[in-house]
Amino acid sequence: MKLSCMGTGHDDGIKERLSRLKAILDRFRRMAKAAWRSIGESRQSEERQARLAAIVEYSADAMISTAMDGTIATWNHGAEMLYGHNAGDAIGKNISLVMPSCRQLEAGRLIEAIKSGKNTRIHDTVHMRKDGSLVDISLTISPIKDREGKVSGISLVAQDISELKQAEEALKKSYYEVERQVKERTSQLSTIIEDLNAEIAIRKRAESELEEAKAQAELYIDLMGHDINNMNQAVLGFLEMAIDALQSRGTLGVEDTQLLASSMEAARNSSKLIDNVRKLQMEKAGAFKPVVVEVGSILREAKEAYQHVSGRDVKINYAPEAACKTVANELLKDVFSNIIGNAIKHSTGPLVVNIALSKVTMPDGAYCRVTVEDTGPGIPDERKQKVFERIGKTRIEGKGLGLYLVKTLIDDYHGRIWVEDRVPGDYAKGVRVVVLLPSRR
């Protein structure tokens, strides 16, 4: 029993010592692993720092670090290549070493900006090489912080952008040159267009004048070929009838004498038409010079010309309401003579013609208003506008050149003319011709 107890106590002691030894060994292993891990991490950190240092040292960009007062602390190979200063010459000097005199204050402003806690700034500037030449650079500035997060220095990365600047300048020059050429070509094109427009305007004016001359020529041909021919046919017809009467009876009676009178009237109308054509041609050629005329006196002369109409009971009344002047030429009398003559010619039996003159104000100015109204057969509504048209375009039987000449002259005087019923709504009770001529003091 004692051996057994003794044996049991001895075994328990061994187990306890073995358990302690195992714990010590486990702790040693953990410590060894931690040590090896720390050594490995340290080596990796050193390797990373070495690689980073190599990258910085041999970067093509200039990488510089300075103290907070601007003293250069590091100067890589890129900085040597960019500025021409080797590291030994540059380290320990102020960063103003690379600043041209015109930018010396820039270094101080950059340092103050970093001290105030501003983040990385990138801007283009100009630095100076060792030989005094200037170089365009893109500068990146950022703070260097210690383990506690405080700013302990400044990092500067400078990149040569001279070629980029030259390319930009070349592009600008090219742009300005292209712009200049575009403006020059645009100016030349504008001149060409102006010349072309001027030539087109001249051609159009020539074509218009040619068309107008052609229209005038056609008008004269129409008149000569139509109205004069009709009048001549009437003259021949009346004379033939008179000759037949003379041959059959050996004498001419009262009715036969009227045939001769009608022949003379037709011949006179033919001569008057020729005279009107001549006047129209001269007026278009500018032969009649415009002058200031008293409209009232022109109307009195026109009235007197028709005061006595052979074989007709014609009464012409003229009642001017006010004196009025206008700018016209000597053909103004023909205007009113034609209007009065038409009223007599295109009516039969007793006739009353009333002429009135007044001065009126229209939205576009003051006018002399002349009305000539008659108690003749009137003009239907569908024919009122056509009475002023040219013979060759729309033939209004018996109107001849008269009212076309009138309309042409009134247009040249910058006036207006129209016809209306003497009694509104009943054209058969006569017509009223209204003429407006610009008033002149």
Side-chain angles (χ1 to χ4, degrees):
M1 292 296 294
K2 286 183 179 180
L3 290 171
S4 174
C5 289
M6 288 178 62
T8 301
H10 176 74
D11 290 341
D12 290 340
I14 293 172
K15 288 180 180 179
E16 183 178 353
R17 286 194 297 271
L18 288 173
S19 177
R20 290 178 181 175
L21 179 60
K22 183 179 179 183
I24 292 171
L25 289 174
D26 289 339
R27 187 166 55 189
F28 177 77
R29 289 192 192 98
R30 286 196 299 271
M31 291 175 62
K33 286 181 179 181
W36 281 110
R37 187 182 301 113
S38 177
I39 293 170
E41 290 177 353
S42 178
R43 288 179 178 177
Q44 290 175 356
S45 177
E46 289 176 358
E47 289 175 358
R48 284 197 299 270
Q49 291 179 1
R51 284 197 298 271
L52 181 60
I55 291 172
V56 170
E57 178 61 26
Y58 295 102
S59 171
D61 294 336
M63 294 185 177
I64 306 166
S65 66
T66 72
M68 293 305 296
D69 61 358
T71 302
I72 299 171
T74 62
W75 184 271
N76 76 338
H77 180 71
E80 291 181 343
M81 298 299 296
L82 178 60
Y83 296 109
H85 299 281
N86 58 43
D89 294 334
I91 293 174
K93 294 183 179 178
N94 194 277
I95 191 63
S96 61
L97 173 71
V98 298
M99 305 287 182
S101 57
C102 60
R103 295 181 181 265
Q104 284 294 320
L105 296 178
E106 185 177 288
R109 288 198 297 270
L110 296 177
I111 293 172
E112 291 302 320
I114 294 298
K115 285 181 178 179
S116 64
K118 291 188 177 180
N119 295 325
T120 301
R121 298 179 62 216
I122 302 175
H123 70 284
D124 293 348
T125 184
V126 177
H127 279 183
M128 182 175 64
R129 295 189 178 97
K130 183 178 180 179
D131 61 7
S133 62
L134 301 180
V135 57
D136 291 302
I137 65 165
S138 175
L139 184 63
T140 303
I141 310 164
S142 55
I144 299 174
K145 297 181 180 180
D146 58 20
R147 292 181 179 180
E148 297 177 356
K150 295 181 180 179
V151 178
S152 59
I154 302 170
S155 169
L156 299 93
V157 179
Q159 185 179 28
D160 186 351
I161 57 170
S162 298
E163 293 183 358
L164 179 61
K165 287 288 185 180
Q166 291 172 2
E168 287 179 353
E169 288 299 319
L171 185 61
K172 285 182 182 179
K173 289 181 180 179
S174 177
Y175 170 78
Y176 291 136
E177 177 61 21
V178 170
E179 189 176 33
R180 184 192 65 78
Q181 291 181 5
V182 168
K183 287 182 179 179
E184 183 179 341
R185 295 295 185 272
T186 302
S187 176
Q188 292 174 353
L189 184 59
S190 297
T191 301
I192 292 172
I193 292 174
E194 288 177 2
D195 293 342
L196 183 59
N197 287 337
E199 184 176 349
I200 291 173
I202 292 172
R203 289 187 179 183
K204 285 185 176 180
R205 187 162 57 250
E207 289 175 359
S208 177
E209 292 173 355
L210 182 61
E211 286 295 323
E212 184 177 353
K214 181 181 177 183
Q216 289 297 318
E218 290 175 353
L219 170 64
Y220 303 147
I221 292 172
D222 280 342
L223 295 170
M224 299 302 180
H226 191 281
D227 280 33
I228 293 179
N229 182 61
N230 287 349
M231 293 174 185
N232 289 339
Q233 290 297 324
V235 170
L236 292 174
F238 291 140
L239 289 176
E240 286 176 358
M241 292 171 64
I243 291 172
D244 288 342
L246 183 61
Q247 288 177 344
S248 62
R249 296 192 299 269
T251 183
L252 295 176
V254 176
E255 293 181 358
D256 300 325
T257 303
Q258 183 62 41
L259 292 175
L260 293 177
S262 297
S263 299
M264 293 178 64
E265 178 64 21
R268 280 194 292 269
N269 286 339
S270 178
S271 297
K272 184 177 180 180
L273 178 58
I274 293 173
D275 185 55
N276 281 342
V277 171
R278 181 183 60 81
K279 287 180 179 179
L280 180 60
Q281 184 181 23
M282 293 175 65
E283 202 275 336
K284 287 296 182 182
F288 300 104
K289 302 301 180 184
V291 294
V292 177
V293 297
E294 174 60 58
V295 178
S297 63
I298 300 295
L299 292 173
R300 280 190 290 272
E301 290 179 16
K303 172 193 172 185
E304 292 300 323
Y306 291 96
Q307 194 62 50
H308 303 287
V309 179
S310 178
R312 291 283 305 278
D313 179 13
V314 176
K315 184 178 181 180
I316 302 177
N317 301 312
Y318 171 49
E321 296 179 12
C324 193
K325 295 180 180 180
T326 191
V327 176
N329 54 38
E330 60 190 78
L331 296 183
L332 183 59
K333 179 181 176 181
D334 291 83
V335 168
F336 298 115
S337 294
N338 269 290
I339 295 173
I340 298 170
N342 273 337
I344 297 171
K345 183 166 55 177
H346 301 297
S347 64
T348 58
L351 180 73
V352 177
V353 178
N354 294 317
I355 305 171
L357 169 65
S358 61
K359 193 171 183 179
V360 297
T361 300
M362 307 290 285
D364 57 342
Y367 286 87
C368 301
R369 187 178 190 269
V370 179
T371 59
V372 180
E373 59 181 37
D374 62 64
T375 56
I379 302 174
D381 290 341
E382 65 271 13
R383 295 176 60 187
K384 282 183 171 65
Q385 277 301 114
K386 295 181 179 179
V387 297
F388 298 108
E389 292 184 5
R390 214 192 83 186
I391 294 172
K393 292 185 177 180
T394 303
R395 176 69 183 177
I396 303 301
E397 188 62 34
K399 301 306 178 190
L401 177 61
L403 291 180
Y404 174 77
L405 173 63
V406 168
K407 178 69 165 56
T408 300
L409 293 173
I410 293 297
D411 288 344
D412 289 346
Y413 301 152
H414 306 290
R416 287 173 250 169
I417 184 171
W418 67 89
V419 295
E420 58 190 30
D421 297 331
R422 183 179 69 85
V423 177
D426 188 354
Y427 80 87
K429 292 186 178 180
V431 67
R432 178 185 295 122
V433 180
V434 183
V435 177
L436 293 180
L437 295 169
S439 175
R440 178 72 176 268
R441 292 183 179 180

